[in-house]
Amino acid sequence: ELIKLLKQWYHAHDSVSVCNATVPRIKSLLKLEKGKNADLGYVFEHQEFLQKNSHWIVGSDNWAYDLSSSGIHHILASRDNVNVLV
C-alpha cells in the first residue's frame, strides 16, 4: 500500500489537493516501515517535504504596473504552484 500511495503522490505532483490527501496515510505507513529499509528511513526523516505548499507573491498596483521588468513572468511561466495577489 505504501508503494501505491508513493506512486500516486509522485504522479500527481501538479495537483496539490491529490498530493496532500495522500500525505497523512503515507506518513503513518512510513512510521511503521522505516526500520525495514534505509531508503524508507530517509524518506521518513524528511517527510516534511511530502506536503505540497502554495507560495504567495504579494505586490502593490505600482509593482503590477511594471511586471515585465520584475521577472515575475518567468515564475508564472514555470507552472510552479505560485499565487499572485496584487
Side-chain angles (χ1 to χ4, degrees):
E1 182 183 9
L2 178 58
I3 300 299
K4 178 184 167 190
L5 284 171
L6 287 171
K7 285 181 181 180
Q8 182 181 358
W9 178 87
Y10 177 78
H11 290 296
H13 70 276
D14 285 336
S15 174
V16 173
S17 60
V18 172
C19 286
N20 288 346
T22 61
V23 168
R25 185 69 182 138
I26 289 173
K27 286 182 176 183
S28 65
L29 290 172
L30 280 172
K31 190 173 185 176
L32 296 172
E33 302 288 330
K34 67 181 178 179
K36 296 179 182 177
N37 184 302
D39 292 332
L40 291 177
Y42 180 84
V43 174
F44 179 78
E45 290 173 9
H46 298 89
Q47 62 183 302
E48 68 271 10
F49 297 113
L50 292 172
Q51 192 77 29
K52 298 270 184 177
N53 298 317
S54 62
H55 302 280
W56 283 85
I57 300 171
V58 179
S60 67
D61 57 342
N62 287 331
W63 171 77
Y65 181 75
D66 198 21
L67 282 178
S68 63
S69 64
S70 69
I72 193 73
H73 58 285
H74 292 289
I75 294 170
L76 296 175
S78 71
R79 295 182 36 99
D80 285 340
N81 184 22
V82 177
N83 302 292
V84 179
L85 176 65
V86 178

